Amino acid sequence: MEKKTYTISVYTENNVGLLNRISAIFLKRHINIESLTVSGSEIEHVHRFVIVIESTESAVIKLVGQIEKQIEVIRAYYHTDEETIYQESALFKISSSLLFDERQIQNIIKKSNANIVTVSREFFVLEKSGRKHEIDDLYNELHEFGILQFVRSGRISVSKTAMQISSILKEFNN
């Protein structure tokens, strides 16, 4: 079977140690986590893990089944890139002198649709949201000028189709 990129969404209670147990499931199956984001969800008191992996569909199905066996996990779903709308975010810290001395920097910022978050005498910070390749492209263009610091978020995503998590929770609460 062919490996593809999958986004796994895991709706959970917010309990200590759950991240460790979920990551252990990936470790046991020798599957690398490409990206991981954890946040609140559309449902009060329910958190959502967004995990990106490269794997086969059969391995993802087994993985999601194992994740759902964790007591704090309410429901887990998996989707291909075609089934989701997703973004990443990145911050670039760059020397302020480049903003004024290198005209090309301003063109790169405009072309990439990046936003200047802050400017000081020593540095300025750019924010770029978009697909992984868009952030990689901006990184590669800025790298030759010198990046003082760089950080990127994990993927955030929503599925194109309904995941029915709200109706599952309503049934659970009744």
Side-chain angles (χ1 to χ4, degrees):
M1 288 186 98
E2 173 185 339
K3 282 191 173 189
K4 292 172 77 172
T5 300
Y6 289 94
T7 301
I8 300 171
S9 296
V10 184
Y11 288 86
T12 70
E13 297 173 17
N14 188 20
N15 289 340
V16 174
L18 180 59
L19 175 58
N20 193 29
R21 289 193 307 281
I22 288 176
S23 65
I25 294 169
F26 289 85
L27 177 65
K28 288 176 189 170
R29 296 185 176 279
H30 301 284
I31 296 175
N32 189 45
I33 296 173
E34 301 292 329
S35 169
L36 171 67
T37 305
V38 182
S39 69
S41 72
E42 64 274 19
I43 303 152
E44 193 174 346
H45 306 296
V46 174
H47 281 69
R48 182 176 175 195
F49 289 63
V50 177
I51 307 165
V52 179
I53 62 169
E54 294 276 332
S55 190
T56 62
E57 187 171 20
S58 63
V60 172
I61 291 168
K62 291 175 187 172
L63 193 62
V64 167
Q66 284 295 116
I67 291 169
E68 285 190 329
K69 289 180 182 177
Q70 298 298 310
I71 192 132
E72 299 96 337
V73 172
I74 299 162
R75 189 70 200 265
Y77 301 89
Y78 73 93
H79 296 95
T80 64
D81 283 354
E82 296 77 31
E83 297 170 327
T84 60
I85 299 162
Y86 59 92
Q87 295 281 297
E88 291 183 11
S89 190
L91 295 176
F92 300 83
K93 182 178 173 185
I94 300 168
S95 173
S96 285
S97 63
L98 292 173
L99 188 58
F100 304 107
D101 299 341
E102 289 288 341
R103 203 125 167 80
Q104 193 176 356
I105 292 285
Q106 292 177 19
N107 294 334
I108 291 169
I109 293 169
K110 284 181 188 175
K111 184 181 80 173
S112 69
N113 292 319
N115 298 309
I116 297 175
V117 176
T118 191
V119 178
S120 75
R121 291 181 194 262
E122 296 82 33
F123 63 86
F124 69 100
V125 176
L126 290 177
E127 179 275 332
K128 171 67 181 156
S129 293
R131 298 278 177 109
K132 183 180 186 320
H133 70 87
E134 294 171 326
I135 293 171
D136 290 343
D137 291 347
L138 180 57
Y139 179 90
N140 292 332
E141 287 190 74
L142 293 173
H143 187 265
E144 66 183 76
F145 296 99
I147 297 172
L148 301 175
Q149 289 183 35
F150 170 76
V151 65
R152 81 184 318 148
S153 71
R155 176 181 287 193
I156 55 173
S157 72
V158 293
S159 65
K160 291 181 180 176
T161 60
M163 288 198 282
Q164 306 302 323
I165 187 71
S166 295
S167 60
I168 290 169
L169 286 175
K170 281 180 189 172
E171 288 176 24
F172 180 75
N173 288 331
N174 291 336

